[in-house]
């Protein structure tokens, strides 16, 4: 009976028409098969319509689900600010799955791939973690940190369904007038090359791993080197210089297995890169061995002939030059029509179409889209989670570059009685995050959840410290220990950020600074900007300057450095100009900068006991207040010292030989008598000097008193303690200095 049944089954199998078994169980749907075999099998089944559809990338707002299915569209993207409503992670995931199901409804069921510009975190999504822009990451000099940021970004992107990130930007920005300077890791090829670790973070050990997304090295090539820093302009360089300055980061990206490369809008010596076969096919694909897919920028093929409206010639030129997928956000129907006609006429060879599809399909298979086409919802809760925000805060503090620190005003004391904060960027998430944040050009105000610099400052100080804030500095007086001015640029992105003229501070910033300086309070400037600014003329009036770049949503990372919880470690990824007329200015060009490439000051490990130590620059106090002195050149003093009050100074170094005396600039209107004692390591520690607090004739009548000192060697925490007397205030102190 079993033999007879087997014979019947064999006869039935023989009667099945050829090809039916393959159609029922195609190789391309079998995950056990090698990817090249799956690609070849799928490619053999595709019509011209399906192949052209795979090469088309449309904007989400310009298609319907029916369009995706009917036109076999292979890819979608969200432009800057293009988001579902409500704009949250779950809505993104739902939108993605809906589009993906439409792609899977095509006869061959080829999944689409969806791209976004997640250039400093998943920055289109409200609630996502916004990391510092690349200019800040370049200042960290920490490739391992950047790789971790890539992984965190990939997880948040995955949690919304998206599988393709148009990042990192590997441009080498050579002129700070360029409006995309903040997208660059630095002015040297070494800066950008070292940070290609972002690619490894985004793509993971392999693309098929959960939480991995396709990375994009952009913008190939030379977009940071255009004449006058003109966005989408002309890079006028010989080939040797192009290769030496702008090619190395892309060479390293290819070596790291980057999945896609995006072409720049700009030109090389007058020829638009989107039509440059030599640089795309001969250099990138053949010489560097890039096997991934090459994608155009937004409507960029329309710029090849310099006329509005893309043509059949532009389509033909771009595809034959080596582009594999064309970003045609709204005019995708016309692109499909034109490309089909060019192929049918023989002006674009089918071999080029097949090569493009092979590259696209390979990445889709490597991503595992055929097996796992829908959002991995296990990653959705990672969007904006505490771990990623902690990582962003770490990146912020490591990106801060200390450029000036007169008299050791930084770090600021957490126990200061009063601090003043001002500036248009102090309490503004939108401003501190910059462009490409929720919307394309960025915005102002609470565009997404986070911690402003002001909020970070208030969280850092003691509960007894009063932090006053006014955007323009109104209300400040000499009673504050320091004024923190958070100033600089407001958001912009490509097309709107070029600064061909002035590169200085705006009138609001200058007015705010004048108000703060007039109070006599030490002014600490926190500069929020996407590039070095022209500030040399104002710098002498600032006690401290910190380049904060565009820190993103975790402004508490700025406060971490201002108050000394973490010492500044960042260094300049760009040469800082003396004035805008020096642009372009880069390391090794012979121009004298205000601050050189690689510069970054540090907090001193110790304070020199034998130099003047300002009394108001304490880091701990009890019962005192800071006020402005009334005599010329005095600055600020510590006042209202009563018995038991003290001020303390960290890491005062007396060296190997003890001091013999200390000079204290003091003023007193008291009749109570009493003394000021210098003690080591605690308010009750060993006394090394005692100064009389007797009246000088008035609370702002200053005199310098010298007293014997001794018994101190090495590094100590130094306390100046008020003691004795008959009660009430004893003295004000301006500064002190030991001698030996």
């Amino acid at each position: 009976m079993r033999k007879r049944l087997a014979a019947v089954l064999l006869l039935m199998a023989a009667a099945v028409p050829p090809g039916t078994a393959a159609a029922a169980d195609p190789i391309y749907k079998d995950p056990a098969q090698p990817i090249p075999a799956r690609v070849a099998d799928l490619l053999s089944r595709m019509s011209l319509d399906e192949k052209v559809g795979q090469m088309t990338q449309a904007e989400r707002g310009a298609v319907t689900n029916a369009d995706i299915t009917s036109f076999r569209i292979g890819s979608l993207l969200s432009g800057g600010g293009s988001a579902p409503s409500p704009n949250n992670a779950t809505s993104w995931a739902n939108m993605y799955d809906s589009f993906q199901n439409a792609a899977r409804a095509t006869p061959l069921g080829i999944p689409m791939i969806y791209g976004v510009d997640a250039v400093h975190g998943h920055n289109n999504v409200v609630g996502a973690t916004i990391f510092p822009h690349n200019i800040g990451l370049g200042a960290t000099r920490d490739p391992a940190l950047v790789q971790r940021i890539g992984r965190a970004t990939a997880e948040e992107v995955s949690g919304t369904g998206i599988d393709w990130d148009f990042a990192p930007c590997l441009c080498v920005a050579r002129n700070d007038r360029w409006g995309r300077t903040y997208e660059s890791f630095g002015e040297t090829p070494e800066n950008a090359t070292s940070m290609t670790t972002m690619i490894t973070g985004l793509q993971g050990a392999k693309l098929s791993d959960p939480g991995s997304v396709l990375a994009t090295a952009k913008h190939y090539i030379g977009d940071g080197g255009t004449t006058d820093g003109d966005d989408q302009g002309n890079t006028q360089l010989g080939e040797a210089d192009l290769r030496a300055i702008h090619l190395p980061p892309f060479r390293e990206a290819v070596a790291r297995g980057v999945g896609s490369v995006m072409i720049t809008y700009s030109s090389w010596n007058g020829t638009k890169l989107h039509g440059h076969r030599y640089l795309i096919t001969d250099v990138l694909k053949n010489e560097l061995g890039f096997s991934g897919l090459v994608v155009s920028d937004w409507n960029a093929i329309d710029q090849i002939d310099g006329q509005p409206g893309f043509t059949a010639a532009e389509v033909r030129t771009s595809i034959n030059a080596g582009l594999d997928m064309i970003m045609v956000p709204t005019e995708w129907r016309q692109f499909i029509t034109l490309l089909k006609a060019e192929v049918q006429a023989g002006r674009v060879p089918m071999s080029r179409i097949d090569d493009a599809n092979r590259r696209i399909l390979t990445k889709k298979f490597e991503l595992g889209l055929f097996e796992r086409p829908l959002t991995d919802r296990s990653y959705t809760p990672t969007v904006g989670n505490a771990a990623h925000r902690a990582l962003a805060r770490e990146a912020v503090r490591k990106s801060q570059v200390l450029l000036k620190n007169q008299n050791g005003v930084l770090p600021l004391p957490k126990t200061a009685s009063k601090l003043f904060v001002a500036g248009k960027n102090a309490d503004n998430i939108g401003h501190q995050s910059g462009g490409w944040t929720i919307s394309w050009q960025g915005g102002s105000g609470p565009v997404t959840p986070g911690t402003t610099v002001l909020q970070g400052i208030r969280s850092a100080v003691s509960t007894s410290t009063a932090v006053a804030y006014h955007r323009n500095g109104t209300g400040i007086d000499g009673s504050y220990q320091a004024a923190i001015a958070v100033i600089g640029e407001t958001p912009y992105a490509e097309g709107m950020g070029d600064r061909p003229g002035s590169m200085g501070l705006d009138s609001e910033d200058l007015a705010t600074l004048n108000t703060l300086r007039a109070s006599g309070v030490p002014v600490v400037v926190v500069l929020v900007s996407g590039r070095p600014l022209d500030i040399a003329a104002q710098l002498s009036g600032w006690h401290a300057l910190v380049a904060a770049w565009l820190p993103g949503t975790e402004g508490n990372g700025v406060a971490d450095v201002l108050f000394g919880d973490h010492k500044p470690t960042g260094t300049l990824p760009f040469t800082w100009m003396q004035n805008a007329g020096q642009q372009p200015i880069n390391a090794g060009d012979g121009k004298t900068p205000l601050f050189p490439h690689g510069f970054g000051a540090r907090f001193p490990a110790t304070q020199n006991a034998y130099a003047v130590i300002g009394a108001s620059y304490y880091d701990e106090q009890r019962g005192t207040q800071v006020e402005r002195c009334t005599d010329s050149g005095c600055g600020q003093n510590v006042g209202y010292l009563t018995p038991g009050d003290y001020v303390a100074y960290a890491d005062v170094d007396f060296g190997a030989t003890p001091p013999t005396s200390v000079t204290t600039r003091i003023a007193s209107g008291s009749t109570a008598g009493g003394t000021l004692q210098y003690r080591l390591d605690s308010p009750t520690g060993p006394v090394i000097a005692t100064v009389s607090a007797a009246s000088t004739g008035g609370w702002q009548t200053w005199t310098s008193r010298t007293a014997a000192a001794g018994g101190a060697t090495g590094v100590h925490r130094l306390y100046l303690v008020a003691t004795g007397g008959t009660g009430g205030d004893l003295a004000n102190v301006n500064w002190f200095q030991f001698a030996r």
Side-chain angles (χ1 to χ4, degrees):
M1 182 67 182
R2 290 180 179 176
K3 291 181 179 179
R4 182 177 180 184
L5 178 60
V8 170
L9 291 173
L10 286 171
L11 288 171
M12 290 176 64
V16 175
T20 302
D25 188 23
I27 291 173
Y28 80 90
K29 289 189 176 182
D30 183 359
Q33 296 294 325
I35 287 177
R38 298 178 74 184
V39 171
D41 178 61
L42 178 54
L43 198 59
S44 71
R45 300 168 186 273
M46 294 171 66
S47 66
L48 179 59
D49 283 338
E50 285 160 329
K51 292 176 180 179
V52 170
Q54 286 299 302
M55 299 171 67
T56 305
Q57 185 175 62
E59 216 285 330
R60 58 169 287 277
V63 296
T64 64
N65 285 9
D67 290 333
I68 296 170
T69 306
S70 298
F71 290 90
R72 317 295 198 258
I73 294 173
S75 181
L76 297 180
L77 83 152
S78 279
S82 178
S85 181
N87 185 352
N88 58 43
T90 299
S91 289
W92 277 81
N94 293 341
M95 174 192 71
Y96 175 91
D97 286 355
S98 176
F99 285 140
Q100 189 65 279
N101 285 330
R104 296 168 67 206
T106 57
L108 293 174
I110 304 174
M112 60 114 194
I113 185 172
Y114 198 119
V116 295
D117 289 274
V119 297
H120 61 141
H122 200 6
N123 45 257
N124 277 323
V125 182
V126 172
T129 308
I130 306 300
F131 293 93
H133 269 296
N134 285 354
I135 190 171
L137 298 184
T140 71
R141 297 297 200 277
D142 192 341
L145 171 68
V146 169
Q147 181 169 327
R148 290 159 56 207
I149 290 171
R151 173 61 190 184
T153 300
E155 289 180 356
E156 296 201 17
V157 169
S158 293
T160 61
I162 309 303
D163 27 52
W164 187 4
D165 186 4
F166 302 140
C169 183
L170 299 180
C171 51
V172 180
R174 304 289 288 175
N175 190 320
D176 302 339
R177 294 186 181 279
W178 186 39
R180 305 190 77 162
T181 297
Y182 66 79
E183 296 187 54
S184 172
F185 290 113
E187 70 183 36
T188 71
E190 292 79 10
N191 291 139
T193 300
S194 68
M195 296 307 181
T196 56
T197 52
M198 177 73 78
I199 294 165
T200 305
L202 289 168
Q203 296 192 162
K206 57 181 185 295
L207 283 173
S208 60
D209 287 345
S212 293
V213 299
L214 194 71
T216 307
K218 68 181 189 183
H219 304 86
Y220 183 83
I221 179 179
D223 57 342
T226 59
T227 301
D228 298 325
D230 181 23
D231 189 47
Q232 304 182 23
N234 187 22
T235 299
Q236 296 172 285
L237 283 177
E239 184 170 348
D241 286 336
L242 185 76
R243 285 176 172 270
I245 297 170
H246 299 283
L247 189 61
F250 291 95
R251 186 186 302 276
E252 180 63 21
V254 172
R256 285 185 177 272
V258 70
S260 66
V261 170
M262 182 180 289
I263 305 303
T264 178
Y265 280 113
S266 60
S267 304
W268 179 43
N269 294 328
T271 300
K272 283 289 182 181
L273 261 293
H274 274 77
H276 212 298
R277 180 181 172 85
Y278 171 69
L279 289 177
I280 297 172
T281 295
D282 296 348
V283 176
L284 176 62
K285 289 184 172 181
N286 295 337
E287 180 183 327
L288 300 189
F290 176 62
S291 60
L293 69 96
V294 176
V295 63
S296 81
D297 209 333
W298 180 283
N299 270 338
I301 64 168
D302 183 29
Q303 296 189 6
I304 291 175
D305 66 5
Q307 301 298 317
F310 71 83
T311 63
E314 288 173 318
V315 171
R316 176 173 68 251
T317 298
S318 62
I319 300 299
N320 286 340
L323 270 74
D324 303 309
M325 183 179 289
I326 308 298
M327 191 186 295
V328 274
T330 59
E331 302 300 321
W332 53 269
R333 285 182 177 84
Q334 184 184 4
F335 169 75
I336 288 172
T337 299
L338 291 175
L339 180 54
K340 283 177 59 180
E342 290 300 296
V343 174
Q344 290 164 343
R347 290 186 287 268
V348 173
M350 185 58 74
S351 60
R352 176 76 270 275
I353 299 298
D354 286 346
D355 174 60
N357 273 264
R358 189 174 293 108
R359 291 167 179 270
I360 294 165
L361 294 173
T362 296
K363 294 308 167 188
K364 290 185 176 184
F365 280 116
E366 289 178 355
L367 283 163
L369 291 176
F370 284 81
E371 289 72 52
R372 300 180 306 279
L374 302 181
T375 304
D376 185 343
R377 304 279 175 148
S378 69
Y379 284 103
T380 306
T382 70
V383 176
N385 70 6
H388 292 170
R389 290 184 182 275
L391 176 61
R393 181 174 181 171
E394 177 187 348
V396 172
R397 64 178 178 251
K398 288 182 175 178
S399 70
Q400 305 300 287
V401 180
L402 179 64
L403 296 175
K404 181 179 181 181
N405 192 18
Q406 180 179 324
N407 297 333
V409 65
L410 293 178
L412 293 168
K414 291 184 175 183
T415 58
S417 55
K418 297 170 68 179
L419 295 171
F420 198 97
V421 181
K424 65 177 184 290
N425 295 338
D427 196 29
N428 198 305
I429 285 286
H431 286 186
Q432 72 188 45
S433 297
W436 289 107
T437 305
I438 309 306
S439 61
W440 174 37
Q441 295 289 326
S444 181
V447 298
T448 193
T451 303
T452 67
V453 176
L454 174 63
Q455 290 169 330
I457 290 170
R458 285 180 165 155
S459 295
V461 299
S462 68
T463 55
S464 62
T465 300
V467 177
Y469 166 71
H470 192 283
R471 174 171 171 150
N472 298 318
T474 302
I476 193 170
D477 58 36
S479 66
Y480 292 88
Q481 185 160 358
I484 305 168
V486 190
I487 58 172
E489 294 188 306
T490 54
Y492 54 82
E494 56 185 310
M496 301 296 288
D498 289 2
R499 295 187 70 166
S502 168
M503 297 184 70
L505 301 173
D506 64 24
S507 58
E508 179 181 352
D509 284 345
L510 294 173
T512 299
L513 290 166
N514 287 338
T515 299
L516 299 180
R517 289 183 59 200
S519 72
V521 170
V523 176
V524 175
V525 172
V526 176
L527 194 62
V528 173
S529 69
R531 58 188 136 205
L533 297 181
D534 188 349
I535 46 88
Q538 291 82 41
L539 183 60
S540 62
W542 306 344
H543 286 73
L545 170 61
V546 176
W549 314 112
L550 298 169
T553 52
E554 309 313 302
N556 39 18
V558 177
D560 286 341
V561 172
L562 293 178
F563 292 92
D565 287 330
H566 296 270
K567 295 180 179 180
T569 57
T571 59
L572 289 179
F574 289 91
T575 302
W576 203 292
M577 62 193 152
Q578 291 272 5
N579 55 70
Q582 287 186 311
Q583 290 295 337
I585 180 171
N586 295 288
D589 62 8
K591 299 176 183 178
T592 302
L594 183 63
F595 302 108
H597 177 269
F599 176 78
R602 300 290 181 259
F603 292 159
T606 59
Q607 297 191 71
N608 183 2
Y610 305 103
V612 172
I613 296 178
S616 64
Y617 298 143
Y618 58 77
D619 67 345
E620 180 187 351
Q621 63 86 29
R622 184 175 71 188
T624 70
Q625 295 183 39
V626 174
E627 59 187 2
R628 185 180 182 185
C629 302
T630 58
D631 65 331
S632 176
C634 179
Q636 286 189 300
N637 66 262
V638 170
Y640 302 94
L641 282 158
T642 61
D645 291 346
Y646 63 79
V647 284
Y649 306 86
D651 302 319
V652 177
D653 189 355
F654 291 92
T657 304
T660 57
S661 65
V662 62
T663 300
T664 308
R665 193 163 195 258
I666 190 171
S668 176
S670 173
T671 59
T675 62
L676 300 178
Q677 296 179 337
Y678 289 90
R679 292 177 176 266
L680 300 182
D681 302 321
S682 83
T684 58
V687 177
I688 62 168
T690 300
V691 178
S692 170
S695 176
T696 63
W699 295 108
Q700 290 293 320
T701 302
W702 293 94
T703 188
S704 296
R705 289 177 175 163
T706 301
T713 58
V715 179
H716 295 272
R717 186 171 184 80
L718 182 67
Y719 285 79
L720 180 56
V721 184
T723 186
T726 58
D729 296 334
L730 295 182
N732 297 339
V733 179
N734 183 211
W735 53 259
F736 58 88
Q737 182 178 15
F738 287 85
R740 59 188 174 188

